[in-house]
Amino acid sequence: MLYKTFKGGIHLQTNKATDKKKIKPLPLPERVVIPVSQHTGKPSTPIVKLGDKVKTGQKIAEAEGFVSVPQHSSISGEVKEIAHYPHPVLGRDALSIVIESDGKDKWIKRKKHDYTKLARSEIVEIIKNGGIVGLGGAAFPTHVKLSPPKEKPIDTLILNGAECEPYLTVDHRTMLERTEDIIKGAKIIMKVLECDRCIIAIESNKKDAIEKFKNLIKDERIEVFTLKVKYPQGEERQIIKACLKREVPSGGLPMDVGVVVQNVGTVCAIYDAVHRDIPLLERSLTISGSGIKEPQNVKVRIGTILKNVIDNCGGYADGVGKIIMGGPLMGIAQYTDEVPILKATSGIIVQTEDEVSIEEEQPCIRCSRCVDVCPMRLLPCEIANYAEHHNFDKCEELDIMDCKECGSCSFVCPAKRNIAHLVKFAKNEIMSKM
Amino acid sequence: MEEKLTVSISPHIREDISIRRIMYSVVVALLPALFFSIYIFRMKVLTIVLLSIGAAVGSETLCQYLFKRKITITDGSAVITGILLAFNLPPDSPFWLPIVGSIFAVVIAKQLFGGLGYNFINPALAGRAFLMASWPKIMTHAWEIPTHGTLSGIDAITSATPLTVLKEAKGILADPLSSAQSIATAKQALFQLGSKTSLSNLFFGSVGGCIGETSALFLLIGAVFLLVKKYIDWKIPLSYIGTVFILTLFIPTGINSLFHILSGGLVLGAFFMATDMVTSPVTPKGRWIFGIGCGAITVLIRLWGGYPEGVSYSILLMNCATPLIDIYTKPKKFGVVKKKATTEENTKEKERLG
Ligand code: SF4
Ligand code: SF4
């Protein structure tokens, strides 16, 4: 059977060892570190002081402007510190609020909403106040995506259940364990966007999730699409192309072609915020890789320290070489395990020393493998050459800004060139000049 | 814990593939043709090939040592150059010929430009062109008739290469002063060349020719291996051979198209030399153009040029055109419907990266 897909991309060993493991809630952490910047956009501003007593779900930092979200305390306890702490994504210390648990997990007062009785703007407000961002990894504030301008009507909502990164199975598990909630969440989003088509897009290696959705959907506006197993199938542009054959214009956004894409985990968070009045303060993630004793899926409070999570998963195996936050293709290697779990942390992959081979770079042999796999149809080898020689004008001529940093090019390169890295470096240089 | 952690950039996994693996696969793919050649022409061929490889690898090591570059002879690329150069020599070559050719190929055409990846023409072909220009007699007249029994059981039809016979025969036919008898011989020769027996000889390998180009069959065995492994791209050989086939179908050449495909170094060139990654375009469209260009120039040289064979010059010429082809065949990037919202997203990106 021919599944829907896009052109280019790579076939990976999926290593989804944890896809049968139920999401396990971990015990409450004793301490959480909540950075004020966990999202794309302006960092939030702390609204608590040292020594303040906070409850679970209480807002502790306020959003700065439209493209920003607030932060909430994920446990109850006392504000111990507002200081700079290692940040897993920024790669440096960043302002964070440290809360020590009182062990009671006392919640703020919540009230249930009936979304059908809420106005669209009220729902968006709840989502914004819930601090919700894209949980797939990009961490883009969700309320921004759900507020397209009038002149860009949305006709299709795509729920991204592709989960194309190897090892990660948390979306798969979420789809199995919270199927109904996802369907309800989809209806909320459809109401907000005033669109009457929803596609749940899932890669063909998650047959059970596909079946479950098909059985439970009682609404002909919602369909399930089976996608080919290929990386980066979960990338917004590629999933839109696969489902609808539409190409998001270069430099544009999905809303330009009438589409909004939401990760399935985000949809659950939206459901929790709207239905149950729970802000985003916990998330599920996959802990896997050969450097982990007991790979599994866990649910943790945002701000839990990575090391504690690992300790709760039976600890490290011998000879840890690398800790990756996110998937092995786009994730970020950590220099310490004292970093907090963020809203957009979809997984932690620990590699052993043997797996961490830093192979020597050789000159490009122009084999064109990178060209063949680039999902954005760029010429990665040429861009990398120019980037290496700091010829950024040429890089721009070769459309470097369209690169989505998926890493497919580096993955296939027989010369082991760090193409994606060179591209990223050149992009930063170009942007800093703008 | 901390000090043991590797911090490197994504992606954190790489495909199990290396330059060395690709290069040695090409070497393996050339072996069937080499063994067959040894079977046909006996051990002399093996000596030539070994001398050629030795000279290529040796001069590469020396160059890298002198230029203070990293010694990379184990990557296998010099071995390929050595084999391919030998494949392009007559089986009766004097032993110094492969040595001189390989040294030229590696030193002048490859290392002086910066080594593997930086050379813009195929080293083996450059070596051959150099030998051809310097010692044309040896390069074209040292043919030996295959002496052993042949696969098809029929003895060789000519001691000259089929393409040379074709050229000479057509020369006789075109000359108004040719005697009636020589015209008859020429016609007879043409008829023989285009016959089924001749074609099957070309395919299975029992005609005069360079070391590596006698048997299309054994070359194809290796080529299929590379195609299946995806180490070479099918677009170039297909468009190359396709172009030769179609052109010779429509231009009256006095002989059928199959003859043109199977004779000379076309199969060797199309599958093993035109596909040299370093010197062919990286864009999909560029590869089509590259193959078509090679095909057209080959036919041009064979029909109207001064040499009986045009494969190596056509590839060399297209090698030179490769940078230009790449520039003009840049793929259409994803989402070029309309230009819009660029600044909006750029500011967002900027915000994200702080
Ligand atoms: S994959 Fe690597 S070696 Fe091949 S063309 Fe791209 S950069 Fe060059
Ligand atoms: S150039 Fe960018 S978009 Fe293309 S494969 Fe490389 S990282 Fe992905």
Side-chain angles (χ1 to χ4, degrees):
Chain A
M1 190 169 156
L2 277 177
Y3 297 123
K4 293 178 191 298
T5 192
F6 62 98
K7 214 168 153 251
I10 49 182
H11 299 275
L12 298 165
Q13 281 212 311
T14 52
N15 285 321
K16 308 258 190 193
T18 50
D19 62 351
K20 297 274 179 300
K21 302 234 173 104
K22 273 219 163 93
I23 299 174
K24 184 177 95 182
L26 290 191
L28 273 189
E30 279 159 26
R31 189 178 70 117
V32 291
V33 176
I34 298 176
V36 295
S37 177
Q38 305 189 34
H39 50 266
T40 309
K42 281 229 173 76
S44 51
T45 320
I47 51 171
V48 287
K49 307 182 302 298
L50 278 187
D52 278 3
K53 296 266 188 281
V54 291
K55 288 185 178 163
T56 310
Q58 182 179 334
K59 200 182 268 183
I60 53 172
E62 189 53 87
E64 273 301 311
F66 185 58
V67 188
S68 178
V69 291
Q71 317 298 338
H72 302 82
S73 178
S74 56
I75 51 175
S76 63
E78 187 185 325
V79 178
K80 273 281 163 199
E81 236 183 315
I82 299 178
H84 282 71
Y85 265 86
H87 191 288
V89 175
L90 300 175
R92 55 178 159 83
D93 291 358
L95 190 66
S96 312
I97 302 170
V98 182
I99 296 165
E100 212 168 76
S101 173
D102 56 13
K104 296 190 188 114
D105 199 22
K106 275 203 303 254
W107 281 70
I108 45 157
K109 275 222 162 50
R110 293 185 280 143
K111 64 170 197 286
K112 289 194 176 153
H113 300 290
D114 178 1
Y115 85 93
T116 52
K117 300 211 175 79
L118 292 172
R120 290 165 54 213
S121 57
E122 286 173 311
I123 301 180
V124 173
E125 202 49 39
I126 294 174
I127 291 171
K128 181 176 180 188
N129 271 324
I132 298 177
V133 300
L135 298 190
F140 193 76
T142 301
H143 65 274
V144 180
K145 267 187 165 182
L146 297 184
S147 316
K150 278 234 156 38
E151 66 276 13
K152 289 180 183 164
I154 302 299
D155 57 51
T156 311
L157 164 71
I158 296 179
L159 300 196
N160 187 348
E163 198 160 54
C164 57
E165 280 257 22
Y167 292 98
L168 303 187
T169 57
V170 60
D171 285 350
H172 185 182
R173 287 312 308 178
T174 307
M175 288 192 284
L176 285 174
E177 294 172 30
R178 299 196 62 189
T179 325
E180 294 274 14
D181 296 350
I182 293 173
I183 298 173
K184 284 183 198 148
K187 288 181 183 163
I188 299 175
I189 305 172
M190 283 162 80
K191 170 167 177 169
V192 173
L193 296 170
E194 288 186 307
C195 75
D196 39 32
R197 186 178 187 203
C198 170
I199 295 169
I200 306 178
I202 307 172
E203 278 192 351
S204 64
N205 56 357
K206 301 181 244 307
K207 287 264 168 3
D208 44 357
I210 296 170
E211 279 313 306
K212 194 146 185 213
F213 271 115
K214 282 190 173 157
N215 290 336
L216 289 176
I217 294 172
K218 302 264 179 320
D219 185 336
E220 72 274 12
R221 297 177 306 163
I222 307 175
E223 305 164 67
V224 182
F225 277 17
T226 310
L227 308 178
K228 192 168 166 180
V229 180
K230 190 159 81 167
Y231 178 88
Q233 187 73 77
E235 191 72 36
E236 266 187 358
R237 279 151 215 267
Q238 274 61 45
I239 207 165
I240 295 173
K241 173 86 179 174
C243 291
L244 299 168
K245 299 212 167 49
R246 296 183 202 166
E247 284 192 13
V248 177
S250 160
L253 294 168
M255 62 170 81
D256 292 330
V257 290
V259 183
V260 163
V261 182
Q262 292 288 353
N263 164 275
V264 287
T266 318
V267 179
C268 282
I270 291 174
Y271 169 82
D272 287 341
V274 177
H275 255 263
R276 303 160 63 198
D277 200 18
I278 301 178
L280 182 53
L281 41 79
E282 62 180 359
R283 74 153 298 148
S284 306
L285 67 158
T286 303
I287 314 294
S288 191
S290 14
I292 293 283
K293 280 230 181 83
E294 297 160 22
Q296 55 190 285
N297 291 300
V298 296
K299 185 156 41 166
V300 303
R301 297 288 165 96
I302 307 288
T304 308
I305 299 299
L306 194 153
K307 188 173 182 307
N308 301 351
V309 179
I310 307 270
D311 288 343
N312 274 311
C313 291
Y316 295 108
D318 287 341
V320 169
K322 199 194 266 185
I323 299 176
I324 304 158
M325 205 168 235
L329 266 293
M330 285 180 91
I332 300 168
Q334 302 298 320
Y335 56 89
T336 165
D337 55 5
E338 293 287 345
V339 289
I341 303 295
L342 303 185
K343 290 175 178 176
T345 307
S346 48
I348 297 166
I349 313 296
V350 181
Q351 293 179 326
T352 56
E353 276 161 330
D354 315 336
E355 287 175 296
V356 184
S357 58
I358 299 186
E359 279 163 289
E360 206 178 339
E361 280 189 70
Q362 286 166 287
C364 166
I365 53 163
R366 298 171 43 83
C367 67
S368 91
R369 293 165 68 92
C370 56
V371 179
D372 296 338
V373 299
C374 177
M376 300 309 288
R377 299 195 294 261
L378 307 178
L379 297 176
C381 50
E382 308 259 327
I383 297 177
N385 276 342
Y386 286 121
E388 216 165 23
H389 295 104
H390 293 229
N391 190 342
F392 302 124
D393 292 342
K394 277 278 179 201
C395 290
E396 275 191 273
E397 263 173 53
L398 289 168
D399 301 310
I400 185 172
M401 299 318 270
D402 284 274
C403 164
K404 290 286 161 259
E405 297 170 18
C406 69
S408 304
C409 46
S410 302
F411 178 81
V412 296
C413 179
K416 307 293 168 196
R417 287 168 50 82
N418 290 313
I419 314 173
H421 175 65
L422 284 166
V423 174
K424 212 181 277 185
F425 152 74
K427 268 172 94 175
N428 285 347
E429 291 288 317
I430 293 168
M431 266 184 307
S432 66
K433 284 200 200 92
M434 277 195 302
Chain B
M1 178 93 238
E2 252 89 281
E3 57 277 9
K4 282 193 299 178
L5 289 181
T6 309
V7 181
S8 60
I9 50 257
S10 62
H12 305 288
I13 47 172
R14 297 293 183 102
E15 194 173 347
D16 184 19
I17 176 89
S18 62
I19 293 183
R20 187 176 301 171
R21 162 108 45 101
I22 296 178
M23 293 298 173
Y24 281 109
S25 301
V26 177
V27 172
V28 169
L30 286 166
L31 289 181
L34 176 60
F35 290 144
F36 182 68
S37 198
I38 295 170
Y39 168 71
I40 293 261
F41 299 116
R42 284 174 293 182
M43 293 318 270
K44 187 163 185 216
V45 160
L46 185 63
T47 321
I48 293 176
V49 172
L50 288 180
L51 283 173
S52 187
I53 296 175
V57 174
S59 50
E60 177 137 301
T61 322
L62 198 67
C63 273
Q64 288 177 332
Y65 178 75
L66 291 177
F67 296 154
K68 302 208 164 36
R69 291 199 187 121
K70 220 177 127 319
I71 308 281
T72 57
I73 35 147
T74 51
D75 68 16
S77 64
V79 179
I80 297 182
T81 301
I83 300 181
L84 284 179
L85 181 90
F87 271 25
N88 277 290
L89 299 179
D92 232 6
S93 304
F95 286 149
W96 55 266
L97 200 67
I99 299 178
V100 174
S102 273
I103 291 176
F104 181 90
V106 168
V107 178
I108 309 289
K110 186 175 171 191
Q111 288 299 334
L112 280 190
F113 286 99
L116 180 67
Y118 298 104
N119 54 304
F120 72 99
I121 50 174
N122 182 306
L125 285 176
R128 179 195 138 103
F130 167 72
L131 296 179
M132 195 80 174
S134 315
W135 297 279
K137 275 237 150 51
I138 306 177
M139 285 296 285
T140 45
H141 287 276
W143 307 120
E144 185 187 338
I145 319 165
T147 43
H148 279 233
T150 55
L151 279 188
S152 50
I154 287 139
D155 281 346
I157 49 168
T158 169
S159 61
T161 73
L163 280 173
T164 320
V165 176
L166 176 66
K167 198 126 221 168
E168 278 170 6
K170 287 178 69 188
I172 293 170
L173 289 177
D175 188 350
L177 297 176
S178 303
S179 65
Q181 204 205 336
S182 56
I183 289 178
T185 326
K187 279 199 172 139
Q188 174 69 15
L190 275 183
F191 177 75
Q192 275 197 13
L193 281 178
S195 71
K196 266 214 182 90
T197 350
S198 153
L199 289 180
S200 84
N201 283 346
L202 282 168
F203 187 72
F204 292 110
S206 54
V207 288
C210 291
I211 290 176
E213 59 191 32
T214 38
S215 167
L217 173 68
F218 286 91
L219 287 169
L220 285 174
I221 293 173
V224 166
F225 165 69
L226 292 181
L227 285 171
V228 169
K229 284 271 182 192
K230 294 215 172 97
Y231 292 158
I232 59 173
D233 188 19
W234 52 273
K235 292 186 201 77
I236 291 175
L238 181 72
S239 54
Y240 191 167
I241 295 175
T243 305
V244 171
F245 184 78
I246 291 169
L247 285 180
T248 51
L249 205 62
F250 290 108
I251 303 171
T253 60
I255 199 139
N256 65 39
S257 284
L258 270 183
F259 171 83
H260 275 285
I261 290 176
L262 293 175
S263 63
L266 185 61
V267 173
L268 177 66
F271 285 99
F272 291 97
M273 293 189 292
T275 52
D276 172 18
M277 302 160 177
V278 180
T279 55
S280 57
V282 291
T283 64
K285 223 190 280 168
R287 295 179 162 197
W288 288 110
I289 295 174
F290 184 87
I292 293 170
C294 286
I297 300 174
T298 303
V299 172
L300 218 66
I301 296 180
R302 278 191 186 177
L303 297 185
W304 294 290
Y307 293 104
E309 173 59 305
V311 169
S312 40
Y313 290 106
S314 70
I315 299 175
L316 282 175
L317 279 170
M318 290 311 286
N319 283 167
C320 300
T322 294
L324 218 62
I325 297 177
D326 268 342
I327 292 177
Y328 287 107
T329 55
K330 201 178 91 176
K332 201 172 93 196
K333 68 177 175 183
F334 188 95
V336 272
V337 210
K338 49 195 161 182
K339 247 254 86 70
K340 214 155 87 177
T342 325
T343 40
E344 187 191 331
E345 202 188 38
N346 284 344
T347 30
K348 262 180 213 146
E349 285 269 10
K350 225 181 202 168
E351 277 169 11
R352 182 167 76 88
L353 295 155

